[in-house]
Every structure is written in structure tokens, then in C-alpha cells.
Amino acid sequence: MSRFPDVLKALAAATLIAPAAFAQDAAEAPEGGFGLGREATTEEVAMWDIDIRPDGKGLPVGSGSVELGEEIWSYNCAHCHGDFAEGIDRWPVLAGGEGTLSDDRPVKTIGSYWPYLSTVYDYVYRAMPFGYSQSLSPDDVYAITAYLLYSNYIVEDDFVLSNENFSEIAMPNEENFFMDDRAETELPQFTAEPCMTDCKEQVEITAHATVLDVTPEDGGEGGGGGID
Amino acid sequence: MNDIFKGMKPTRRSFLRGAAAASVGAAAGGAARASSDPAFAEIQPWMQELGDPVDAAPYGMPSEFEAHVQRKTVYWLTADPISSINFTPLHELDGIITPNGLCFERHHSGAAHVDPALHRLMINGLVDRELVFTMEDLMRFPRENHVYFLECAANSGMEWRGSQLNGCQFTHGMIHNVMYTGIPLRLLLAEAGIQTAGKWLLAEGADAAGMTRSIPMEKALDDCLVAFKMNGEALRVEQGYPLRLVVPGWEGNMWVKWLRRLEVGDEPWHHREETSKYTDLLADGKARRFTWEMDAKSVITNPSPQAPLTHGAGPTVLSGLAWSGRGTIPRVDVTLDGGKNWHQARMSGPSLSKSMHRFYFEFDWNGQPLLLQSRAHDSTGYVQPTKNALRELRGTNSIYHNNGIQTWHVKKTGEAENVEVS
């Protein structure tokens, strides 16, 4: 900048302030839109719109018993998630863990953690069994969902789940979720001008990664607290 | 022209090789006396022989000497490598843009190979017209270009209980920063006509995970994009080719890849990725939901455990990255002594909202051990907290949103380790 003539400097100050360095004219649409795309047919929407909400919106007509669910489970799900949804190896644990959420090692399962039953139905149909998504019939999914409720001690073994009694089931941990409150509980604490000089007298190392020694050399095996 | 050149090449090459061989005896003797530097020991082959023709690499790859620069996974983190994660090698990169082939990957049912000719984007729900777009239709909408970071909410999630992984690739590598070309989401929604009750949007992917996330309408109408290009070229398969959602500043899981459907609704859906996962379990057993924004964060990428100081005492370049889901990063502080004294780092390169920022701190290393930390300040006045300050508020079970200050212990040897300090 020091070699710029004064005129240029003044010009730069007037016009080349940060925003101009990166052009950002918003893209706009004409009144009434572009008329691009085509109307989706009712059948197309029905094929793709598979989502289920806590209020039961999206649930197909159908039903399934714990008993049938156990059978479907043992063929399609048990080899990863275990006979009782207890999880095998590192595959997800889907049952148990009640009362562990404030423990040192909480076990988050459908029974101990999930706030809504609709999530089980929605997820099992859209994503499971792993590698064969969207292959189960509504009755199968109701049955598996009933079985998962049973494995989590939420219903008895003679229970039959259907679109009609679905919203009567409340999940035990629903009340323990709350909306992100960082704006009130954290941001005010983390906006003070920090200390820059002579901030501490002593600094000690309190933890070492090499103690755990789980960093992969070439992506090798190890073991430690995971991401979930 | 092409043919003549090809015909000539071997003759010319063998001639030059012959000439080089003939003079080796004399030249080598002289060079050995003139320099102990192996670079001067002989005329290197690349100085003498012809290089690759222009048709050797129609899609270019990095130098063979950079073959170690790779995404890496940590096998014990997940049950199998299909529903898994790999990490960006931040310590090997500079500037602010992440090269496409090094952007970390997280898929829940593997990276889907979607045929663009059979890809459709549907908009349904509380809209005046339920619509289906082909990729060709989408190419006729106005586009915008923006640079944004994408950080997985679980980035640094393995560090809640204490230092665990030795390298910024593993502690901070679930992030990338890319220039997206895409259609403002508000233009697509306007095309369908959002009804007044439409307060939420469900974005859904076309992969076997059928990834879904609920997004509040204000965000959808604000700065979200439906992107088809990254850093100028088509999205990579593992980044959602041919179409992905861009949700600037918000956790990476919401940036639905292989985007196939947008549904407008009056309530959130509370799907698996916003209940079972991506909710932040606090010490008292209660959990925060919808923790979308990524708090300001920074990390020193060099030196770091995978990038030790090999040059000994003297002039040293410290470098790192900082970002915030709420704006820009006007300032980063750096300490060499574990937080006794801090220095303002030098910011370098474009300072864009919700993009990574590059900082440097050049210093004269006295060869003694260092305890390096960086501390980001964002444009809202937020200052990156310590890990302990976060633990006091949240405990150690929340997995997600760990933006605490990272410490590297550089030893006299120049090796670095992931540590925590008092």
C-alpha cells in the first residue's frame, strides 16, 4: 500500500472496502417464478414421501405384534443388533441403558434416550436393514417397532402396535430434551475480552494423548471413546 | 504435429541420455568437491530429460511426492467403514480452500453413486404446487457462489474426556472449506409457493440412509443453497453428487447429500439424526436438541503431532485455521507458553462469513518446549472457550460441539503431542 499514490489510496478507502472484494449480488426470481420443473403426481409424492412425525402424520395403515416382530427381527436384524437388541460388537445397541444418561458412560438406546416412537418407525423403514433399505412392509415395520418397545420393557409380550394405537405410546425420556439454549447459557459467558499478558503463573500438563495411544499409524486398530 | 513430436522424442531422449552418461565421470567429480548438498551432486533427471506429455494425466493428480497427503479413518470409531468417517489432513494444507479429494467424508450407508439422468428433486408438503425438477431444470435457475466451511458436529468429539488422538487431522479434521456454486434455496421454494403454515423444511437424501433433517424455514429462506459444484467442478460422489444442500454455519449433518426431496411442514420431524444423534447430552442427563450453529473454533495445524518441527531453533512459522458459524473471524490469539501470554496472530487471505480463515504467527523458536494454543474471536464478539469451561457447562457426555481450545506440546526435539494444561 505504501507505494500507492495518494489518489489511489483515497479511492481504495472509498470503494474497495472489504465487501467489494467479493461480489455478492443476490440471485433473484421474476414475479410468479420461472415456471421450471413440473407438477409431481400424487403417486410420485406417495412413493417418495415416507416420513413419519411424532403426531403420527405419515403413518401408513397397518399393524404388527411383538411376537411377529421377534421373528422378523431374528432373521433381519439380530445378527448386527443382537437377539435382544443389545448390540453385537460395535453395531448399535437398541435396548437397555435405562437410568444411565447421567452416568460416566451413558448407554443411549431407543428405551433410554429416544424421545419419540415415530422416529423408530421412520428410521427402520428408510434405513434398515443396513444395506436393504425400504424393503419392509408396513406390517413388518409395526411388528419390529412393537418388538423394540418390548425389548425396552415399554410394552408386554402380547402387545400389537398399529396406526391406531401408535400415538398412545409415550417414550420414557421425552421430557428430557430441550431447545438449544446456548444463546442464553453460554454466549454471554464467552464474550468477555480475554487476558493477554501474565494470565497464569504456572502451567502444568494435565492430560497426554500418548497415554491412551489410540491414534492410528495407518488407520490401524485401537480402542477408546468413540463419536457415538 | 503431435505425430512428429512423438516420433522424435525417443531419439532425442536417447541422445541426451548418452551425452549425460559420457560426461558423468568428469561432472560428478567436480560436483562432489563443489557442494555437499545432494541436490547439486549431479544434474537431476528432471533437468535433463523430457517430462510427461500433456495427455499423460487428463485429470491431474498431486505430485507422487505428496502421496502421503490423504484422508485417514480411525477404524475403532465405528462398527464398519460403510457407516463411518474419515478425516481431512489439515496439517498438510494451507490457505483456506480444501481440495475436493481431501474433503472428509461421513456417510451413514456408504457413498451413493447417483445417475444424474435419473436424479430428481421433489418439493412437496405445504406448498401451492408440488414439483419435480430434473438436473437440467435446476441448471436454468440463477446461481450464486459462496465459500463455506462444513464441520461435523462430532468434530473433536473424541476429546471430551481428555486428550485422545494425536494429530489435528484426527482431532479437528471433520471439516472442509469449499466454494459452492448453487441455487439459493429460497428461489426453489418460491417456485413451489410456500403456504403460510409452512414453518419447517425436511431435507432428504437419495442414499440408502435416506438421510433426513428438519430445518427451520427462516434458515432455509436465508442463506441455504442447493449446490451442484464444489471448487468449480461437479460435487464429488462422496460429497453428494449430483446435488447437496448447503446450510452455512450449521452442523454438517444437515447439509443433506444426494438431495432428492424437500418437504414443507408446520412442525419438525424429530428424525433419528435429530433425536438419537446430534442432540447434546448434558451432565444431568438432559439433552439439548436443535444445536444447529457451530460455535467459533480454531486449531494450530502446524506444528502439530503429525507435523513436527524438524528444523530446530530459529525462524519458525506457526499456522492454523479458525472459523465460526456466526460470522467472520477478525482475530485469533496464539500462546507459546500454555496461556501465560498471548499474541495476536496475523490473519491472511479472504475473510468471509462462515468460511475458514487462515492465520500465521511467525516467531524465533529458542529450541525449548512449547505449549501452543490458539483462540478464535468471531465477529459477534464470541471468544473460543477452554475445554474445561465447556466441561463445566456441559459435562463430558455430549459428543457434539466441542469447540474448546486445543493444546499441542512441542518438545525440544520438535515432536508435538496432544495434551491439556491447567
Side-chain angles (χ1 to χ4, degrees), chain B residues 275-308:
Chain B
T275 54
S276 168
K277 307 296 171 194
Y278 304 100
T279 48
D280 307 3
L281 180 60
L282 304 185
D284 62 0
K286 295 190 187 301
R288 280 186 185 137
R289 65 158 57 104
F290 298 147
T291 45
W292 300 308
E293 273 176 329
M294 300 308 292
D295 294 315
K297 186 166 169 179
S298 66
V299 65
I300 294 171
T301 54
N302 305 80
S304 63
Q306 297 160 289

Side-chain angles (χ1 to χ4, degrees), chain B residues 117-354:
Chain B
L118 293 177
H119 189 70
R120 301 289 180 270
L121 177 65
M122 177 185 281
I123 302 183
N124 73 307
L126 300 178
V127 290
D128 298 335
R129 292 167 298 279
E130 295 189 313
L131 294 175
V132 173
F133 299 104
T134 61
M135 288 303 293
E136 211 173 28
D137 294 332
L138 294 174
M139 293 308 126
R140 299 171 67 187
F141 279 89
R143 306 163 196 180
E144 289 183 9
N145 291 292
H146 295 271
V147 179
Y148 293 123
F149 75 84
L150 179 162
E151 184 183 17
C152 177
N155 200 19
S156 316
M158 294 84 84
E159 305 291 311
W160 274 109
R161 292 166 202 281
S163 311
Q164 182 163 273
L165 290 166
N166 237 345
C168 67
Q169 178 167 19
F170 303 111
T171 56
H172 290 74
M174 294 188 208
I175 189 164
H176 54 66
N177 201 57
V178 159
M179 156 99 69
Y180 294 95
T181 307
I183 307 156
L185 179 54
R186 64 187 159 78
L187 296 187
L188 291 172
L189 293 173
E191 198 71 7
I194 308 163
Q195 296 175 0
T196 41
K199 298 288 177 229
W200 289 83
L201 190 68
L202 185 77
E204 181 178 73
D207 61 330
M211 177 60 62
T212 43
R213 283 298 300 256
S214 305
I215 298 165
M217 193 57 79
E218 308 86 80
K219 180 67 175 176
L221 297 178
D222 178 19
D223 56 1
C224 292
L225 296 176
V226 172
F228 44 88
K229 298 270 159 116
M230 59 191 292
N231 293 331
E233 65 177 359
L235 292 171
R236 290 291 169 91
V237 163
E238 66 272 26
Q239 302 301 338
Y241 177 85
L243 210 59
R244 94 169 305 165
L245 194 63
V246 169
V247 190
W250 288 20
E251 60 189 19
N253 180 258
M254 306 180 80
W255 300 45
V256 173
K257 301 190 279 192
W258 312 288
L259 182 71
R260 73 161 191 175
R261 195 167 65 93
L262 296 164
E263 180 173 345
V264 177
D266 55 353
E267 299 275 346
W269 281 259
H270 295 286
H271 278 182
R272 186 246 188 175
E273 310 294 335
E274 47 205 16
T275 54
S276 168
K277 307 296 171 194
Y278 304 100
T279 48
D280 307 3
L281 180 60
L282 304 185
D284 62 0
K286 295 190 187 301
R288 280 186 185 137
R289 65 158 57 104
F290 298 147
T291 45
W292 300 308
E293 273 176 329
M294 300 308 292
D295 294 315
K297 186 166 169 179
S298 66
V299 65
I300 294 171
T301 54
N302 305 80
S304 63
Q306 297 160 289
L309 290 179
T310 52
H311 53 57
T316 300
V317 173
L318 178 157
S319 175
L321 290 163
W323 59 93
S324 167
R326 299 193 182 89
T328 58
I329 301 285
R331 169 179 160 195
V332 173
D333 305 326
V334 164
T335 173
L336 306 181
D337 55 15
K340 290 181 189 165
N341 292 292
W342 295 82
H343 317 273
Q344 238 173 277
R346 192 166 59 81
M347 307 304 298
S348 176
S351 172
L352 302 168
S353 184
K354 302 167 189 175

Side-chain angles (χ1 to χ4, degrees), chain A residues 22-29 32-41 44-45 47-55 57 90-92 101-106 108 113-116 118-119 122-123 126-128 130-131 133-134 173-182 185-187 189-228, chain B residues 72-80 82-83 108-109 120 122 124 129-133 137 140-142 144-146 154 158 161 163-166 170 174 184 186-187 191 202 204 208-210 212 260-261 263 266-272 275-277 279 281-293 295 326 331 333 337-343 352 371 375 377 381-383 385 389-390 393-394 397 399-401 409 417-422:
Chain A
F22 207 77
Q24 277 312 355
D25 296 337
E28 294 302 342
F34 295 94
L36 289 169
R38 62 166 176 84
E39 296 250 347
T41 67
E44 286 169 340
V45 173
M47 276 182 73
W48 276 21
D49 184 353
I50 55 170
D51 50 78
I52 317 293
R53 275 194 339 200
D55 59 5
K57 188 173 172 292
R90 288 189 164 271
W91 304 105
L101 294 183
S102 50
D103 288 2
D104 195 30
R105 299 275 169 177
K108 295 191 278 180
Y113 195 60
W114 292 32
Y116 304 109
S118 58
T119 314
D122 177 88
Y123 182 73
R126 77 170 54 250
M128 290 292 137
F130 196 54
S133 305
Q134 300 193 48
N173 195 46
E174 180 181 343
E175 295 310 313
N176 286 323
F177 285 85
F178 63 98
M179 188 67 191
D180 182 9
D181 63 351
R182 282 175 296 169
T185 55
E186 296 190 359
L187 301 197
Q189 288 195 48
F190 298 152
T191 44
E193 176 60 32
C195 170
M196 292 296 282
T197 44
D198 301 326
C199 304
K200 317 174 183 176
E201 292 210 339
Q202 283 263 291
V203 174
E204 304 290 341
I205 294 179
T206 55
H208 287 270
T210 43
V211 172
L212 277 160
D213 196 22
V214 289
T215 310
E217 282 300 328
D218 261 296
E221 292 288 317
I227 42 169
D228 50 31
Chain B
K72 287 199 171 154
T73 186
V74 175
Y75 285 106
W76 53 259
L77 277 178
T78 51
D80 81 337
I82 292 172
S83 168
H108 290 258
S109 293
R120 301 289 180 270
M122 177 185 281
N124 73 307
R129 292 167 298 279
E130 295 189 313
L131 294 175
V132 173
F133 299 104
D137 294 332
R140 299 171 67 187
F141 279 89
E144 289 183 9
N145 291 292
H146 295 271
M158 294 84 84
R161 292 166 202 281
S163 311
Q164 182 163 273
L165 290 166
N166 237 345
F170 303 111
M174 294 188 208
R186 64 187 159 78
L187 296 187
E191 198 71 7
L202 185 77
E204 181 178 73
T212 43
R260 73 161 191 175
R261 195 167 65 93
E263 180 173 345
D266 55 353
E267 299 275 346
W269 281 259
H270 295 286
H271 278 182
R272 186 246 188 175
T275 54
S276 168
K277 307 296 171 194
T279 48
L281 180 60
L282 304 185
D284 62 0
K286 295 190 187 301
R288 280 186 185 137
R289 65 158 57 104
F290 298 147
T291 45
W292 300 308
E293 273 176 329
D295 294 315
R326 299 193 182 89
R331 169 179 160 195
D333 305 326
D337 55 15
K340 290 181 189 165
N341 292 292
W342 295 82
H343 317 273
L352 302 168
L371 286 168
R375 179 170 67 195
H377 298 240
Y382 178 95
V383 183
L390 286 176
L393 289 164
R394 305 188 196 163
N397 286 336
I399 299 173
Y400 307 107
H401 296 281
H409 177 210
E417 191 198 349
N418 175 5
V419 300
E420 290 193 17
V421 293
S422 56

Side-chain angles (χ1 to χ4, degrees), chain A residues 51 77 128 139 159 167 208:
Chain A
D51 50 78
C77 324
M128 290 292 137
D139 286 350
F159 180 73
S167 47
H208 287 270

